[in-house]
Amino acid sequence: MKQNHPEDARLTNDTRKKSKIVIVIVISLLFAVLCAGYLFFAWSRYQKMAKAEAIILAESVESLLHPEHIAALTGSPEDVTNPEYKMMKGSLSRLIRENNQIRFAYILGMREADMVFLIDSEDEVSTDYSQPGQIYYEATPDDRIPFLTGRSVLNGPAEDRWGTWYSALIPIEDPVKHTVLAVLGIDYSVEEWNQRILRRLVPDIVIIVSLLSVCIALFNSWKEHQKVKERAYRLSIDEALFHSVFDQAPIGISIVRDKNFSYQSEQGNLTMNSMFEKILGRSSAELATIEWPDITYYEDLQADLEQFDRFSKGETDGYSLEKRFVKPDGSIVWTNMIIASIAGGQSKYPMHLCLLEDITARKKVEEEHIESERSKSVLLSHLPGLAYRCKYDTSWMMLFVSDGCLKLTGYPPEALLLNRDLSYHDVIAPEYRNLLENEWKKILPKREFFKYEYEIITAQNERRWVLELGQGIFDKRGEVEALEGIILDISARKKSEKTLKYNSEYDVWTGLHNRAFLEGILKMEQHTNATIKRALIGINLSTMHLLGLTYGFQYSQGLIKRAADALRALS
């Protein structure tokens, strides 16, 4: 007796399964085609109904119009004063206001070979208004049918400068001559027209969707039935993958019950990975016997308890916190802790998820950075000037300016940053700008340090002497990336130098150059071998000594000053 091989049976089952899927797909496609055909038929039916209703409505409006009133119109701008024009325009305007479906209503006439507007429902101030006698340039051959045949038509969709429309055109006949006097036009927006048809189509769509939903539900039920065995197999793989990820995750993961670290769940599964134990420096068995407030650093405990209380009451879905834990040896570990609810938890105890990331190294770097910034801030705050970093361009666009900028220049730092209000180039006294540029051009190729004294003009329009010390910052290609340095206020030093120079060259009492200055000039001319003839006049005031003894020092000094003033007047 012949026996079936298991492999053959498996292939047979796969073939049957594929055949069933093909049959379901074919039936579904056939059903979809039938549904689409039915909806198309319903759409066409509602479209015909809408067109018929539009024609009936337009003919009803036309029956209310008096041909003799229309015959009185000339089709020129003067018609606006005609009583018949005003009456019919009012009627068309009320029609538009009372019927939301209609967008425009108008009466067209024929003047020679052109169709012109006789009456328009729009207000005269509207940009869409067409005055009497205006030619309807967008008219198509279909728009002329009512004039030629005397039949009502519905044209569209047609596009003109006002939009895209369905237009119901109804001829207005002369009851005596039986000729077409004019044509009443009523325009419907294509978008609103289609929306109305869609609203009528809603019951048909609901029926189709309901049938389709039933079919989809049946198909899904069959499909889910086929996946039951496959899901069981995948579940075992997913569980193995979960344990692999759980045990090897680079962050600590634990299921926490209220304030207790859980070691095992009620089903006996482990709820804490090895990284969690490593971060806290404690074994899972030890953590199962203590509460997390017991090992939380005291400065972080209050903030954690407040957020945990809101979480326990359901006011929040979770929270994150940077907090410290105390290890068994008393050392501190910084962690970024995330607390989150467990979806679908079935335990009778409040369980939640706790994720821990060791950020001790990052915190150490942050503390070092904060200390560095603090030191830098202290240094810059005591700097008698400003520190800067700027681009190497014609305006010295500032990328960083210290707070000393306000005291030195009178401008706040943000005014100079990125040339918001002005550039540092504008602050430099004009006579020094080219000198500074040339000096930088000289030292940058040599990569030397920059040192230069010049004057700036402050926000108060005062001149102030500064000393700039800086250097170029170069990129990997050797090109200048930026300039960095400090600018110090040396106005006091310059003032002292000026005072010392004045005292060394002038007599304080008379304001004239002193003997040392004269000797300096003579020595300079001696070394330059000057050939110009000069004369030196000496005036002996030795008698001033006797006058000083007789009348006092101030009297004799006053005579000397008067003599100096007289000599200055002769120079």
Side-chain angles (χ1 to χ4, degrees):
M1 185 176 179
K2 186 177 180 181
Q3 297 181 351
N4 293 329
H5 195 275
E7 185 69 19
D8 295 337
R10 186 182 67 80
L11 292 174
T12 302
N13 290 334
D14 290 344
T15 303
R16 290 176 180 176
K17 184 177 179 182
K18 291 179 180 178
S19 299
K20 291 179 180 180
I21 292 175
V22 170
I23 293 172
V24 170
I25 292 175
V26 170
I27 294 174
S28 299
L29 290 175
L30 180 61
F31 181 76
V33 170
L34 291 175
C35 291
Y38 174 78
L39 291 177
F40 177 77
F41 171 77
W43 175 275
S44 300
R45 178 162 51 89
Y46 290 133
Q47 181 81 325
K48 292 178 180 179
M49 292 173 58
K51 290 181 178 180
E53 291 171 356
I55 292 291
I56 293 172
L57 176 61
E59 289 179 344
S60 300
V61 175
E62 184 272 335
S63 66
L64 300 176
L65 300 176
H66 298 283
E68 60 271 16
H69 293 167
I70 296 174
L73 301 178
T74 63
S76 63
E78 289 75 14
D79 282 344
V80 296
T81 60
N82 192 320
E84 288 81 0
Y85 173 87
K86 295 180 179 179
M87 181 177 62
M88 287 188 289
K89 181 175 177 63
S91 299
L92 295 181
S93 298
R94 284 194 301 274
L95 175 66
I96 297 300
R97 289 195 299 270
E98 295 173 1
N99 194 319
N100 296 330
Q101 299 178 6
I102 300 175
R103 179 62 183 87
F104 293 111
Y106 48 88
I107 296 177
L108 298 171
M110 289 294 295
R111 294 296 180 267
E112 295 179 357
D114 295 324
M115 294 177 65
V116 299
F117 287 92
L118 299 180
I119 302 175
D120 186 9
S121 62
E122 291 295 301
D123 292 335
E124 288 78 357
V125 296
S126 173
T127 56
D128 296 330
Y129 171 68
S130 299
Q131 65 178 355
Q134 179 176 326
I135 298 175
Y136 182 29
Y137 292 104
E138 288 83 358
T140 64
D142 292 339
D143 296 331
R144 300 176 183 270
I145 292 176
F147 284 103
L148 300 175
T149 65
R151 292 187 294 103
S152 300
V153 296
L154 182 73
N155 295 334
E159 185 176 356
D160 56 23
R161 64 177 178 273
W162 295 284
T164 306
W165 316 97
Y166 281 105
S167 300
L169 301 177
I170 311 299
I172 303 173
E173 294 186 353
D174 186 333
V176 178
K177 298 180 180 180
H178 298 288
T179 59
V180 178
L181 294 174
V183 170
L184 169 66
I186 295 179
D187 288 350
Y188 299 85
S189 170
V190 170
E191 182 179 357
E192 295 176 359
W193 179 284
N194 292 335
Q195 288 177 359
R196 289 196 300 273
I197 295 178
L198 282 175
R199 284 194 291 270
R200 289 183 174 183
L201 202 62
V202 167
D204 301 273
I205 295 175
V206 170
I207 294 174
I208 295 299
V209 170
S210 300
L211 292 175
L212 186 60
S213 299
V214 171
C215 293
I216 292 174
L218 292 174
F219 174 75
N220 287 336
S221 177
W222 174 81
K223 189 176 179 180
E224 290 298 324
H225 179 72
Q226 298 294 322
K227 291 182 178 179
V228 170
K229 295 181 180 179
E230 185 178 355
R231 285 179 178 175
Y233 173 72
R234 290 181 178 179
L235 183 61
S236 61
I237 296 178
D238 291 342
E239 186 176 359
L241 178 63
F242 166 76
H243 282 292
S244 176
V245 173
F246 183 79
D247 295 334
Q248 301 180 39
I251 62 173
I253 306 173
S254 176
I255 306 298
V256 182
R257 183 175 61 186
D258 195 18
K259 296 181 180 178
N260 297 302
F261 296 104
S262 298
Y263 174 56
Q264 287 184 337
S265 67
E266 295 176 351
Q267 292 77 26
N269 297 321
L270 294 177
T271 60
M272 185 184 305
N273 67 353
S274 57
M275 182 56 71
F276 196 90
E277 302 176 68
K278 181 179 178 181
I279 291 174
L280 297 182
R282 303 171 190 269
S283 65
S284 56
E286 182 183 358
L287 290 171
T289 61
I290 59 178
E291 295 184 343
W292 56 259
D294 299 334
I295 59 174
T296 299
Y297 192 65
Y298 70 95
E299 291 184 359
D300 303 330
L301 181 58
Q302 186 60 34
D304 196 359
L305 288 174
E306 290 176 358
Q307 296 202 51
F308 183 76
D309 183 59
R310 292 195 295 272
F311 172 72
S312 301
K313 293 178 180 177
E315 297 176 2
T316 60
D317 295 331
Y319 64 93
S320 62
L321 180 70
E322 291 187 354
K323 61 176 287 187
R324 288 163 285 187
F325 285 100
V326 181
K327 289 187 174 182
D329 59 1
S331 61
I332 302 298
V333 57
W334 268 101
T335 64
N336 180 33
M337 183 181 70
I338 299 176
I339 299 297
S341 301
I342 299 178
Q346 300 296 324
S347 174
K348 62 181 178 179
Y349 300 104
M351 308 286 285
H352 58 273
L353 185 66
C354 178
L355 305 178
L356 289 184
E357 179 186 4
D358 189 347
I359 60 171
T360 305
R362 193 193 80 191
K363 279 293 183 179
K364 183 178 180 181
V365 172
E366 288 179 357
E367 290 174 359
E368 292 175 352
H369 178 70
I370 291 172
E371 178 61 23
S372 174
E373 289 296 317
R374 186 195 64 79
S375 301
K376 178 182 176 181
S377 176
V378 171
L379 175 63
L380 293 179
S381 63
H382 290 84
L383 188 69
L386 64 87
Y388 71 88
R389 178 185 177 93
C390 71
K391 290 185 177 181
Y392 181 48
D393 55 18
T394 56
S395 63
W396 315 105
M397 180 184 287
M398 290 296 175
L399 305 175
F400 166 78
V401 186
S402 67
D403 293 338
C405 176
L406 179 62
K407 185 176 180 181
L408 179 64
T409 68
Y411 297 102
E414 55 271 17
L416 294 178
L417 277 176
L418 302 177
N419 295 350
R420 193 193 72 178
D421 298 335
L422 74 166
S423 66
Y424 185 72
H425 185 270
D426 300 327
V427 179
I428 301 170
E431 63 269 24
Y432 293 97
R433 293 170 184 172
N434 290 334
L435 296 175
L436 257 69
E437 293 178 7
N438 294 334
E439 187 66 19
W440 273 109
K441 290 178 182 178
K442 185 192 305 181
I443 66 103
L444 283 175
K446 303 176 184 178
R447 301 202 177 191
E448 296 177 348
F449 290 101
F450 180 83
K451 182 177 181 181
Y452 203 84
E453 295 179 359
Y454 56 91
E455 288 182 286
I456 62 172
I457 300 176
T458 67
Q460 294 76 29
N461 204 28
E462 298 176 353
R463 281 182 168 263
R464 184 170 292 177
W465 276 96
V466 296
L467 169 63
E468 182 174 349
L469 303 172
Q471 64 181 9
I473 305 301
F474 300 87
D475 58 19
K476 295 179 179 180
R477 295 175 296 178
E479 297 180 358
V480 180
E481 185 178 276
L483 305 178
E484 289 185 353
I486 57 175
I487 301 173
L488 305 177
D489 186 356
I490 59 170
S491 299
R493 194 197 79 189
K494 281 291 184 179
K495 185 177 180 181
S496 299
E497 291 177 356
K498 186 176 180 180
T499 302
L500 291 173
K501 187 171 187 280
Y502 181 86
N503 292 337
S504 66
E505 296 180 352
Y506 290 83
D507 179 74
V508 178
W509 182 256
T510 63
L512 297 176
H513 288 290
N514 58 20
R515 179 174 179 175
F517 181 79
L518 176 62
E519 291 177 354
I521 291 178
L522 295 176
K523 290 179 180 179
M524 181 181 66
E525 291 194 350
Q526 181 180 2
H527 288 91
T528 57
N529 298 319
T531 58
I532 300 175
K533 294 183 179 180
R534 289 178 174 81
L536 183 63
I537 300 175
I539 300 176
N540 188 359
L541 299 177
S542 59
T543 56
M544 289 297 175
H545 179 66
L546 295 176
L547 292 173
L549 293 175
T550 303
Y551 298 103
F553 177 76
Q554 291 295 333
Y555 178 78
S556 62
Q557 289 296 104
L559 290 176
I560 293 174
K561 189 173 187 308
R562 289 172 61 186
D565 292 340
L567 292 173
R568 187 182 292 108
L570 297 175
S571 61

